[in-house]
Amino acid sequence: MKLSVFLFFCFAFSAIAENASSQNAKVTLNKQNVAVSEVLNAIEEQTEYLFLYNKKNVNVNRTTSVHVTDESVARVLSELFHGTNISYTMEGKHIVLTRKESNDFPATAQQSGRSINGVVKDEKGETVIGANVVVLGTTNGTITDFDGNFSLNGVPEKAVLQVSYIGYLTKEVSVGKQNTLNIVLEEDTKKLDEVVVIGYGTRQRKSITGSVDQVGSEVFENRPVSNAMQALQGASANLIIQQKNMNPNDNSMSINIRGVSTMGNNDPLIVIDGLISSTETLNNLNPADIENVSVLKDAGSAAIYGSRSANGVILVTTKKGVKSNKPTVTFNGMIGFEDPKILYQPVEGWQNAMYRNQANMNIGSSPAFTPAQIRDLYDHRDEEYWFLDEIMKTGLQQTYNLGISGGSENTTYMVSAGYFNQDSNFKGNFGVERYNFRTNLTTEYGRFKLTSLMAYTRKNERTVAGGTGNVIINSSRIPSYYYYKLQSEDGKYLINDVIGDDNALAKLQEGGYEKKDEDNFIGSLNLDVKLFDGLKARGLVGLDLTQHHRFRRDKKVPLYSSADLQTPVGSLKMKKEKPLLVQTL
């Protein structure tokens, strides 16, 4: 029995370093024969600094030694990059490393080494165009031209060239005393022999002529995502997946292959273990149960599905057992926090008032604020807060998966169970919870192979009554005036001339909720009959049953126009013109 446990904890926090003064920050380092990157990491740990650099231009793998006690960061960096072509610039809490131009760097260092020429070919003698040739451990490199030729200057003695190209094994060549090199790359047979699932069975990658991409199970494992579609984001070229909002209860994600091609539905055909499915079924699938996903991008590879494959096909294959294998138990769990980061912030209240006055004067109207009112906003700027920040919170996310698989000489089995729970980033008791159970059984007898699949998914959701469509809009447009409050100290929900009768915090915490539960059952029987070598017949019967329940409760929340009032107001008539909220990126 094999037991593997993965436990990940992700915490988002902020800390204030003791070395608050950027220019006077000091460090103590005792590093012997380590990479430059390790020294930079040590500086980041002891200060508030964060290094920014391009690995192509800055060699952080160079070995160095640093022994300093209570020394300034500037002095350490000056010694660290002395005699190199790297310069640094301190910009607040960031240190930017850049490569100096040729006229800034000593000519002797630029010209050290000699010139190397060569040609790169494959095993058949064909030239390889666009192969990467780099002096190992440096950023000195080039690519081969249309004839497979390359030329490198400044190659030091005892240098090693690293040559790489897609579909070939990376090769390292010692230069020695040679000035001309003939390099032969070997095909990556392991990659070419990889079995790829396509519409009419499986094929080796090297025998496929259509446009097909395959995503392996390693993409789905240990990724902090809530569903399979999120796990596929960025995993395959030209597979475009967009999540429309951050609500974990909203599965309205758009998916298309190679962009939008029609005014109508652009969703590709989704097939899970041979059954035609939907994006909702794909989202209900436990990502840990996925073996691989094939993306069929052209008409040739997807032709078996007819007109339904006009927008491409996504084939999902779930995990199965292995023949003649002892029972294998796997368990993995992940716990983390989703911390929402708002990328824009409003200007301060007094600045907003000045912009509002300017806007009024531009259209010939009187200023909305007097100088005394603007001064009052300026004096109370430390008491301001933004409504959008006040309705957001950090959400806990946790996932646990247990699987048992194995097989005998003719039979394989795989049984898995999973649990997923994610809190909403909106304040209030909202979130989504999912339970998954799946079995995959196969039995072979002579020319016959029978495959049975059963999957059950239970999903519980709790979201805001009426949805969250206006929550962010109504909260983000409120200026950060100190006298605009969402809630008083004694718990009253407040309204003002801008927010009207729609207090977002009241709606989230007291305005009711909508509960949904969904039970989904998928079952299938698949019979393969081998007629003769190279030809087999397949029969498939399956069902996909879904049951929904929905309960909504709306609650009336008293709103007050002032914390001093004891009688709530139903709504506040907006007699004044709404202030304009100015936001900065």
Side-chain angles (χ1 to χ4, degrees):
M1 180 178 293
K2 177 183 179 182
L3 178 63
S4 56
V5 181
F6 305 90
L7 186 59
F8 298 85
F9 294 90
C10 307
F11 296 92
F13 63 91
S14 61
I16 301 177
E18 294 180 359
N19 299 332
S21 178
S22 297
Q23 298 298 329
N24 298 324
K26 296 184 179 181
V27 294
T28 298
L29 302 172
N30 187 15
K31 302 290 184 180
Q32 182 68 29
N33 295 328
V34 298
V36 171
S37 59
E38 186 173 336
V39 177
L40 301 183
N41 291 336
I43 295 175
E44 288 181 343
E45 291 175 359
Q46 297 183 34
T47 68
E48 286 187 330
Y49 284 129
L50 178 66
F51 287 93
L52 303 176
Y53 55 91
N54 188 334
K55 289 185 178 180
K56 295 182 179 180
N57 298 328
V58 180
N59 178 21
V60 294
N61 297 318
R62 175 174 58 87
T63 302
T64 187
S65 298
V66 179
H67 303 279
V68 295
T69 302
D70 200 25
E71 187 62 77
S72 67
V73 174
R75 180 66 180 273
V76 174
L77 294 179
S78 297
E79 293 295 329
L80 184 63
F81 298 113
H82 177 71
T84 69
N85 63 339
I86 304 302
S87 63
Y88 67 92
T89 304
M90 292 183 173
E91 299 178 359
K93 295 181 181 179
H94 297 88
I95 300 179
V96 182
L97 303 181
T98 56
R99 183 169 59 184
K100 297 178 183 177
E101 299 297 333
S102 57
N103 55 358
D104 295 330
F105 191 65
T108 56
Q110 291 275 357
Q111 300 299 328
S112 62
R114 65 184 191 277
S115 297
I116 298 294
N117 299 316
V119 61
V120 179
K121 299 181 178 180
D122 61 15
E123 295 174 303
K124 299 178 181 179
E126 300 290 337
T127 57
V128 179
I129 304 172
N132 294 302
V133 183
V134 181
V135 178
L136 191 63
T138 72
T139 58
N140 184 17
T142 185
I143 61 174
T144 55
D145 60 18
F146 286 100
D147 297 320
N149 298 316
F150 68 91
S151 178
L152 273 177
N153 297 321
V155 179
E157 295 183 3
K158 300 181 180 180
V160 176
L161 299 185
Q162 186 180 70
V163 186
S164 61
Y165 189 72
I166 298 176
Y168 294 86
L169 296 174
T170 299
K171 190 170 186 178
E172 295 182 0
V173 180
S174 298
V175 175
K177 297 182 179 180
Q178 305 176 77
N179 293 323
T180 303
L181 298 174
N182 292 313
I183 302 173
V184 179
L185 294 181
E186 300 178 3
E187 289 184 345
D188 189 351
T189 56
K190 182 178 180 180
K191 186 71 174 178
L192 294 176
D193 291 339
E194 179 185 18
V195 175
V196 178
V197 180
I198 54 178
Y200 41 87
T202 60
R203 292 290 184 273
Q204 288 183 321
R205 185 179 290 274
K206 61 185 178 183
S207 64
I208 296 177
T209 56
S211 181
V212 179
D213 193 12
Q214 180 164 284
V215 180
S217 60
E218 65 276 0
V219 174
F220 301 91
E221 295 173 350
N222 306 328
R223 294 192 68 182
V225 293
S226 61
N227 53 57
M229 288 183 63
Q230 287 183 352
L232 281 172
Q233 285 182 302
S236 175
N238 297 321
L239 179 61
I240 303 170
I241 298 176
Q242 295 176 317
Q243 185 171 350
K244 298 180 180 180
N245 60 61
M246 64 183 180
N247 186 1
N249 303 285
D250 192 343
N251 290 326
S252 58
M253 300 177 68
S254 63
I255 179 172
N256 62 76
I257 300 175
R258 291 183 171 174
V260 177
S261 58
T262 176
M263 295 294 292
N265 186 5
N266 286 274
D267 292 346
L269 180 68
I270 297 177
V271 183
I272 302 177
D273 288 329
L275 290 177
I276 304 298
S277 304
S278 62
T279 55
E280 184 175 359
T281 302
L282 179 59
N283 280 334
N284 287 337
L285 182 63
N286 186 357
D289 289 337
I290 297 178
E291 179 66 29
N292 58 65
V293 176
S294 293
V295 183
L296 312 185
K297 306 177 184 179
D298 65 346
S301 58
I304 187 175
Y305 296 104
S307 60
R308 294 178 297 179
S309 64
N311 296 318
V313 181
I314 296 178
L315 299 179
V316 181
T317 303
T318 58
K319 294 179 180 179
K320 298 178 176 63
V322 180
K323 287 184 179 180
S324 303
N325 193 38
K326 295 181 179 180
T328 301
V329 179
T330 60
F331 173 80
N332 66 74
M334 289 190 293
I335 301 177
F337 291 96
E338 283 196 336
D339 189 12
K341 297 296 184 183
I342 302 174
L343 302 181
Y344 62 96
Q345 294 291 324
V347 298
E348 294 183 356
W350 67 274
Q351 293 175 311
N352 183 285
M354 292 184 65
Y355 285 126
R356 181 58 187 166
N357 283 353
Q358 184 67 47
N360 281 6
M361 289 186 290
N362 287 341
I363 60 174
S365 299
S366 300
F369 295 88
T370 65
Q373 290 174 324
I374 296 177
R375 180 68 191 186
D376 179 66
L377 289 172
Y378 180 82
D379 292 338
H380 292 85
R381 62 188 184 278
D382 294 334
E383 303 175 28
E384 296 177 345
Y385 68 80
W386 193 26
F387 281 22
L388 186 55
D389 289 329
E390 296 301 309
I391 67 171
M392 308 299 293
K393 69 173 184 178
T394 299
L396 175 67
Q397 177 179 312
Q398 50 187 327
T399 304
Y400 307 98
N401 297 297
L402 175 66
I404 304 174
S405 63
S408 60
E409 185 177 351
N410 298 315
T411 302
T412 66
Y413 62 88
M414 194 285 297
V415 182
S416 70
Y419 173 75
F420 170 79
N421 188 303
Q422 180 177 346
D423 289 338
S424 173
N425 287 125
F426 290 116
K427 286 188 176 179
N429 183 23
F430 309 113
V432 60
E433 187 178 42
R434 186 182 67 234
Y435 300 86
N436 292 94
F437 178 78
R438 173 176 291 269
T439 63
N440 280 355
L441 305 176
T442 63
T443 300
E444 295 185 21
Y445 180 78
R447 294 178 175 268
F448 300 91
K449 179 181 179 181
L450 180 66
T451 302
S452 64
L453 180 150
M454 189 276 289
Y456 170 74
T457 301
R458 168 75 177 191
K459 185 164 64 174
N460 300 320
E461 302 180 31
R462 184 182 174 102
T463 187
V464 183
T468 59
N470 294 326
V471 170
I472 293 181
I473 296 174
N474 291 338
S475 298
S476 62
R477 68 183 177 88
I478 308 300
S480 57
Y481 302 155
Y482 74 94
Y483 45 77
Y484 279 173
K485 303 292 184 182
L486 278 170
Q487 195 172 17
S488 64
E489 294 182 359
D490 58 354
K492 296 177 184 176
Y493 292 103
L494 306 176
I495 56 177
N496 53 57
D497 55 340
V498 178
I499 198 174
D501 60 349
D502 192 3
N503 185 306
L505 187 62
K507 181 177 182 180
L508 292 173
Q509 296 190 146
E510 305 289 345
Y513 58 88
E514 187 173 299
K515 292 177 64 176
K516 300 178 184 178
D517 64 68
E518 177 182 299
D519 295 284
N520 176 254
F521 176 82
I522 297 176
S524 69
L525 284 175
N526 188 343
L527 179 63
D528 291 335
V529 181
K530 185 177 180 181
L531 302 178
F532 51 83
D533 290 341
L535 180 64
K536 65 180 179 180
R538 171 177 294 178
L540 173 66
V541 59
L543 56 88
D544 187 341
L545 300 177
T546 302
Q547 177 178 260
H548 300 270
H549 295 96
R550 176 173 172 264
F551 173 80
R552 174 172 171 175
R553 182 179 183 183
D554 292 276
K555 298 170 65 177
K556 185 177 181 180
V557 184
L559 302 176
Y560 300 82
S561 59
S562 172
D564 299 329
L565 295 179
Q566 299 301 319
T567 303
V569 294
S571 62
L572 181 65
K573 294 182 180 180
M574 302 177 189
K575 297 180 180 180
K576 298 181 179 180
E577 193 173 6
K578 295 181 180 179
L580 175 68
L581 174 64
V582 183
Q583 296 169 340
T584 58
L585 295 177

